[in-house]
Amino acid sequence: MMRTPLIAGNWKMHKTIADAVGFVNDLVPRVADIVHTDVLIAPTFVALRDVVRRAEGTRILVAAQDVAAERIEGAFTGEVSAEMIREAGATHVIIGHSERRQYYGETDESVHRKVNAALAAGLEPIVCVGELLDERDEGRAETVVQRQLERAFEGLTASDLSRTICAYEPVWAIGTGRSATPETAEEMHRFIRDNVARIAGTDVAETMRILYGGSAKPDNVLELLSRPDIDGALVGGASLQINLFHKLIEIQESLIKDTDKK
Ligand code: PGA
Protein backbone atom coordinates (compact mmCIF):
# COMPACT_ATOMS: atom_id res chain seq x y z
CA MET A 1 0.00 0.00 0.00
CA MET A 2 1.51 3.29 -1.14
CA ARG A 3 0.76 6.28 1.05
CA THR A 4 1.80 9.68 -0.25
CA PRO A 5 4.14 11.06 2.41
CA LEU A 6 3.48 14.48 3.85
CA ILE A 7 5.85 17.08 5.23
CA ALA A 8 3.79 19.55 7.25
CA GLY A 9 5.02 22.76 8.87
CA ASN A 10 3.22 23.96 11.99
CA TRP A 11 4.19 27.58 12.35
CA LYS A 12 2.47 28.02 15.71
CA MET A 13 2.37 31.72 16.75
CA HIS A 14 5.11 32.77 14.34
CA LYS A 15 5.29 34.95 11.23
CA THR A 16 3.37 38.07 10.30
CA ILE A 17 1.20 37.96 7.18
CA ALA A 18 4.04 39.53 5.20
CA ASP A 19 6.56 36.99 6.51
CA ALA A 20 4.20 34.12 5.80
CA VAL A 21 3.60 35.17 2.19
CA GLY A 22 7.31 35.84 1.73
CA PHE A 23 8.08 32.31 2.89
CA VAL A 24 5.59 30.81 0.44
CA ASN A 25 7.05 32.92 -2.36
CA ASP A 26 10.43 31.35 -1.62
CA LEU A 27 8.99 27.86 -1.21
CA VAL A 28 7.02 27.72 -4.47
CA PRO A 29 10.02 27.41 -6.83
CA ARG A 30 11.71 24.99 -4.45
CA VAL A 31 8.84 22.51 -4.60
CA ALA A 32 8.36 22.81 -8.36
CA ASP A 33 10.07 19.47 -8.98
CA ILE A 34 8.61 17.64 -5.99
CA VAL A 35 6.21 14.95 -7.21
CA HIS A 36 6.06 12.20 -4.59
CA THR A 37 5.66 14.22 -1.42
CA ASP A 38 2.77 16.37 -0.23
CA VAL A 39 3.78 19.66 1.37
CA LEU A 40 1.65 21.56 3.86
CA ILE A 41 1.98 24.64 5.99
CA ALA A 42 -0.15 25.81 8.88
CA PRO A 43 0.07 29.58 9.39
CA THR A 44 -1.94 31.58 11.93
CA PHE A 45 -5.61 32.24 11.18
CA VAL A 46 -4.98 35.80 10.09
CA ALA A 47 -2.47 34.73 7.44
CA LEU A 48 -4.54 31.84 6.06
CA ARG A 49 -6.23 33.63 3.18
CA ASP A 50 -3.09 35.27 1.85
CA VAL A 51 -1.08 32.08 2.14
CA VAL A 52 -3.81 30.12 0.33
CA ARG A 53 -3.82 32.67 -2.51
CA ARG A 54 -0.08 32.48 -2.91
CA ALA A 55 -0.08 28.68 -2.76
CA GLU A 56 -2.83 28.25 -5.32
CA GLY A 57 -1.86 26.07 -8.26
CA THR A 58 1.21 24.72 -6.44
CA ARG A 59 1.81 21.53 -4.41
CA ILE A 60 1.53 23.45 -1.18
CA LEU A 61 -1.47 22.64 0.97
CA VAL A 62 -2.64 24.94 3.73
CA ALA A 63 -3.98 24.07 7.18
CA ALA A 64 -5.33 25.97 10.15
CA GLN A 65 -3.81 25.21 13.55
CA ASP A 66 -7.10 24.78 15.40
CA VAL A 67 -10.85 24.95 14.83
CA ALA A 68 -13.97 25.63 16.89
CA ALA A 69 -15.80 22.60 18.25
CA GLU A 70 -19.13 24.30 17.53
CA ARG A 71 -20.38 23.64 14.04
CA ILE A 72 -22.76 26.54 13.66
CA GLU A 73 -21.84 30.20 13.90
CA GLY A 74 -22.86 31.90 17.09
CA ALA A 75 -21.81 33.69 20.24
CA PHE A 76 -18.37 32.07 20.69
CA THR A 77 -15.94 34.95 21.08
CA GLY A 78 -12.50 34.25 19.69
CA GLU A 79 -13.45 31.06 17.88
CA VAL A 80 -13.15 30.30 14.16
CA SER A 81 -15.46 27.72 12.62
CA ALA A 82 -14.54 24.94 10.23
CA GLU A 83 -16.75 26.56 7.57
CA MET A 84 -14.80 29.81 7.89
CA ILE A 85 -11.50 28.00 7.56
CA ARG A 86 -12.79 26.18 4.51
CA GLU A 87 -13.97 29.47 3.02
CA ALA A 88 -10.50 30.92 3.53
CA GLY A 89 -9.31 28.10 1.27
CA ALA A 90 -7.53 25.84 3.72
CA THR A 91 -8.06 22.11 3.20
CA HIS A 92 -6.67 20.76 6.48
CA VAL A 93 -6.71 21.57 10.17
CA ILE A 94 -4.43 20.49 13.02
CA ILE A 95 -6.48 19.29 15.99
CA GLY A 96 -5.44 18.38 19.52
CA HIS A 97 -1.87 19.65 19.38
CA SER A 98 -0.25 19.07 22.77
CA GLU A 99 0.20 22.83 23.26
CA ARG A 100 -3.58 23.22 22.95
CA ARG A 101 -4.02 20.33 25.38
CA GLN A 102 -1.45 21.71 27.86
CA TYR A 103 -2.11 25.45 27.77
CA TYR A 104 -5.66 25.89 26.51
CA GLY A 105 -7.66 23.14 28.14
CA GLU A 106 -8.11 20.95 25.06
CA THR A 107 -9.50 17.57 26.11
CA ASP A 108 -10.12 14.26 24.37
CA GLU A 109 -13.77 15.31 24.29
CA SER A 110 -13.14 18.68 22.60
CA VAL A 111 -10.75 17.01 20.17
CA HIS A 112 -13.53 14.59 19.27
CA ARG A 113 -16.01 17.41 18.65
CA LYS A 114 -13.47 19.38 16.59
CA VAL A 115 -12.67 16.37 14.40
CA ASN A 116 -16.37 15.98 13.68
CA ALA A 117 -16.78 19.69 12.95
CA ALA A 118 -13.82 19.65 10.57
CA LEU A 119 -15.02 16.60 8.66
CA ALA A 120 -18.54 17.98 8.39
CA ALA A 121 -17.17 21.11 6.73
CA GLY A 122 -15.01 19.12 4.31
CA LEU A 123 -11.70 19.76 6.06
CA GLU A 124 -9.20 16.97 6.61
CA PRO A 125 -8.18 16.80 10.26
CA ILE A 126 -4.59 16.19 11.35
CA VAL A 127 -5.18 14.68 14.77
CA CYS A 128 -2.29 14.90 17.22
CA VAL A 129 -1.72 12.31 19.90
CA GLY A 130 1.23 11.68 22.19
CA GLU A 131 2.25 10.95 25.74
CA LEU A 132 3.97 13.10 28.36
CA LEU A 133 7.42 12.16 29.68
CA ASP A 134 5.98 10.93 32.99
CA GLU A 135 3.52 8.75 31.16
CA ARG A 136 6.29 7.17 29.09
CA ASP A 137 8.52 6.67 32.14
CA GLU A 138 5.66 4.96 33.94
CA GLY A 139 5.14 2.62 30.99
CA ARG A 140 1.78 4.15 30.09
CA ALA A 141 2.59 5.65 26.67
CA GLU A 142 0.49 3.15 24.72
CA THR A 143 -2.47 3.35 27.10
CA VAL A 144 -2.51 7.14 26.80
CA VAL A 145 -2.24 7.18 23.02
CA GLN A 146 -4.89 4.48 22.71
CA ARG A 147 -7.28 6.52 24.85
CA GLN A 148 -6.62 9.67 22.79
CA LEU A 149 -7.24 7.78 19.56
CA GLU A 150 -10.38 6.03 20.69
CA ARG A 151 -11.94 9.24 21.95
CA ALA A 152 -10.91 11.30 18.92
CA PHE A 153 -12.18 8.73 16.42
CA GLU A 154 -15.27 7.53 18.26
CA GLY A 155 -18.24 7.17 15.94
CA LEU A 156 -16.31 8.07 12.79
CA THR A 157 -17.04 6.04 9.68
CA ALA A 158 -14.40 4.39 7.53
CA SER A 159 -14.94 7.16 4.99
CA ASP A 160 -14.33 9.84 7.68
CA LEU A 161 -11.15 8.09 8.75
CA SER A 162 -9.96 7.78 5.20
CA ARG A 163 -9.90 11.61 5.17
CA THR A 164 -8.06 11.83 8.47
CA ILE A 165 -4.34 12.15 9.15
CA CYS A 166 -2.78 11.24 12.48
CA ALA A 167 0.33 12.79 14.02
CA TYR A 168 2.25 11.03 16.77
CA GLU A 169 3.97 13.72 18.78
CA PRO A 170 5.54 12.56 22.03
CA VAL A 171 5.23 15.67 24.19
CA TRP A 172 8.74 15.26 25.59
CA ALA A 173 10.14 15.61 22.06
CA ILE A 174 8.33 18.81 21.08
CA GLY A 175 10.55 21.87 20.99
CA THR A 176 13.13 20.13 23.19
CA GLY A 177 15.67 19.18 20.54
CA ARG A 178 15.28 15.57 21.71
CA SER A 179 13.45 13.58 19.04
CA ALA A 180 12.16 10.06 19.60
CA THR A 181 14.47 7.34 18.33
CA PRO A 182 13.33 5.81 15.05
CA GLU A 183 12.64 2.53 16.91
CA THR A 184 10.46 4.18 19.56
CA ALA A 185 8.58 6.20 16.96
CA GLU A 186 8.06 3.24 14.61
CA GLU A 187 6.79 1.12 17.46
CA MET A 188 4.16 3.70 18.35
CA HIS A 189 3.21 4.31 14.72
CA ARG A 190 2.63 0.56 14.32
CA PHE A 191 0.57 0.59 17.49
CA ILE A 192 -1.52 3.49 16.17
CA ARG A 193 -2.07 1.74 12.84
CA ASP A 194 -3.12 -1.47 14.60
CA ASN A 195 -5.60 0.52 16.66
CA VAL A 196 -7.04 2.22 13.59
CA ALA A 197 -7.38 -1.23 12.02
CA ARG A 198 -9.30 -2.41 15.06
CA ILE A 199 -11.59 0.65 14.89
CA ALA A 200 -12.14 0.88 11.14
CA GLY A 201 -10.57 -2.12 9.43
CA THR A 202 -7.23 -2.81 7.80
CA ASP A 203 -7.96 -0.98 4.55
CA VAL A 204 -8.48 2.33 6.33
CA ALA A 205 -5.50 1.71 8.60
CA GLU A 206 -3.24 0.96 5.66
CA THR A 207 -4.21 4.17 3.85
CA MET A 208 -4.04 6.49 6.88
CA ARG A 209 -0.99 8.72 6.96
CA ILE A 210 0.69 8.79 10.35
CA LEU A 211 3.19 11.62 10.77
CA TYR A 212 5.94 11.87 13.33
CA GLY A 213 6.35 15.17 15.21
CA GLY A 214 8.84 16.35 17.82
CA SER A 215 12.17 18.03 17.06
CA ALA A 216 12.21 16.70 13.50
CA LYS A 217 15.09 18.31 11.60
CA PRO A 218 17.28 17.53 8.61
CA ASP A 219 19.92 15.73 10.67
CA ASN A 220 17.59 13.25 12.37
CA VAL A 221 14.70 12.84 9.96
CA LEU A 222 16.14 10.42 7.43
CA GLU A 223 16.10 7.46 9.81
CA LEU A 224 12.63 8.32 11.03
CA LEU A 225 11.13 8.74 7.57
CA SER A 226 12.74 5.48 6.41
CA ARG A 227 10.57 3.45 8.78
CA PRO A 228 7.62 1.69 7.14
CA ASP A 229 4.89 3.20 9.33
CA ILE A 230 6.20 6.77 9.42
CA ASP A 231 4.55 8.62 6.54
CA GLY A 232 6.05 12.05 6.96
CA ALA A 233 6.57 14.66 9.64
CA LEU A 234 4.76 17.43 11.44
CA VAL A 235 7.47 19.99 11.98
CA GLY A 236 7.53 22.99 14.32
CA GLY A 237 10.84 24.79 14.77
CA ALA A 238 12.51 23.56 11.59
CA SER A 239 9.52 24.60 9.46
CA LEU A 240 10.13 28.28 10.21
CA GLN A 241 13.35 28.40 8.21
CA ILE A 242 13.00 27.92 4.50
CA ASN A 243 16.31 26.08 4.09
CA LEU A 244 15.56 23.56 6.82
CA PHE A 245 11.99 23.00 5.70
CA HIS A 246 13.03 22.59 2.09
CA LYS A 247 15.71 20.13 3.14
CA LEU A 248 13.14 18.01 4.99
CA ILE A 249 10.97 17.90 1.86
CA GLU A 250 13.96 16.88 -0.24
CA ILE A 251 14.92 14.12 2.17
CA GLN A 252 11.41 12.69 2.07
CA GLU A 253 11.27 12.99 -1.72
CA SER A 254 14.64 11.24 -2.15
CA LEU A 255 13.45 8.31 -0.04
CA ILE A 256 10.50 7.73 -2.32
CA LYS A 257 12.66 8.01 -5.43
CA ASP A 258 14.98 5.36 -3.97
CA THR A 259 12.06 3.02 -3.34
CA ASP A 260 10.85 3.56 -6.92
CA LYS A 261 14.20 2.48 -8.27
CA LYS A 262 14.10 -0.84 -6.42
P1 PGA B 1 9.04 20.94 17.02
O1 PGA B 1 7.43 21.00 17.10
O2 PGA B 1 9.37 20.40 15.66
O3 PGA B 1 9.49 22.36 17.21
O4 PGA B 1 9.49 20.03 18.10
C1 PGA B 1 6.65 19.96 16.57
C2 PGA B 1 5.20 20.27 16.75
O5 PGA B 1 4.84 20.86 17.78
O6 PGA B 1 4.37 19.95 15.88
Side-chain angles (χ1 to χ4, degrees), residues 10 12 97 99 169 173-175 214-216 234-237:
N10 170 15
K12 311 189 178 184
H97 190 277
E99 285 151 19
E169 300 207 304
I174 296 178
S215 299
L234 180 55
V235 188

Side-chain angles (χ1 to χ4, degrees), residues 5 16 18 46 53 57 62 70 75 86 118-119 126 132 139 144 158 162 173 177 179 190 203 231 247 250 252:
T16 62
V46 289
R53 287 212 173 114
V62 183
E70 291 75 22
R86 189 84 192 90
L119 288 165
I126 302 172
L132 304 167
V144 168
S162 67
S179 72
R190 189 67 240 169
D203 285 358
D231 307 312
K247 188 80 200 152
E250 281 191 329
Q252 177 65 79

Side-chain angles (χ1 to χ4, degrees), residues 46-261:
V46 289
L48 271 184
R49 186 87 181 119
D50 290 284
V51 165
V52 163
R53 287 212 173 114
R54 186 58 195 94
E56 243 153 35
T58 76
R59 266 201 100 64
I60 305 165
L61 303 162
V62 183
Q65 297 173 16
D66 189 22
V67 59
E70 291 75 22
R71 293 200 200 186
I72 301 181
E73 64 180 359
F76 304 110
T77 302
E79 291 295 282
V80 180
S81 76
E83 286 286 352
M84 292 163 184
I85 292 169
R86 189 84 192 90
E87 189 200 13
T91 49
H92 292 70
V93 57
I94 298 170
I95 297 177
H97 190 277
S98 67
E99 285 151 19
R100 304 284 335 155
R101 294 181 193 254
Q102 284 187 293
Y103 310 143
Y104 301 98
E106 189 86 271
T107 61
D108 290 339
E109 171 59 24
S110 59
V111 169
H112 172 69
R113 294 178 61 216
K114 288 177 177 192
V115 170
N116 274 289
L119 288 165
L123 290 173
E124 300 192 18
I126 302 172
V127 180
C128 303
V129 296
E131 79 285 355
L132 304 167
L133 186 56
D134 285 359
E135 294 166 336
R136 173 155 289 272
D137 289 345
E138 290 161 12
R140 293 193 293 125
E142 291 193 344
T143 318
V144 168
V145 167
Q146 186 167 27
R147 187 204 72 221
Q148 291 172 336
L149 285 174
E150 282 175 355
R151 288 299 296 122
F153 294 163
E154 198 180 310
L156 296 189
T157 62
S159 133
D160 290 335
L161 283 167
S162 67
R163 293 190 290 128
T164 301
I165 296 168
C166 188
Y168 170 56
E169 300 207 304
V171 180
W172 44 271
I174 296 178
T176 57
R178 172 189 169 192
S179 72
T181 64
E183 292 72 29
T184 304
E186 171 63 17
E187 212 174 280
M188 189 61 94
H189 280 233
R190 189 67 240 169
F191 177 78
I192 291 171
R193 204 176 299 289
D194 288 345
N195 270 275
V196 175
R198 206 168 37 72
I199 299 170
T202 1
D203 285 358
V204 174
E206 286 304 313
T207 49
M208 182 181 282
R209 288 183 285 187
I210 306 175
L211 312 180
Y212 168 77
S215 299
K217 34 184 193 285
D219 52 8
N220 64 19
V221 88
L222 179 67
E223 281 241 33
L224 287 158
L225 297 177
S226 309
R227 301 287 154 146
D229 287 293
I230 303 184
D231 307 312
L234 180 55
V235 188
S239 75
L240 296 171
Q241 293 178 47
I242 184 82
N243 289 338
L244 296 183
F245 191 56
H246 179 222
K247 188 80 200 152
L248 293 171
I249 298 165
E250 281 191 329
I251 292 171
Q252 177 65 79
E253 183 79 356
S254 71
L255 278 171
I256 301 290
K257 280 196 196 133
D258 287 350
T259 337
D260 279 0
K261 276 184 223 140

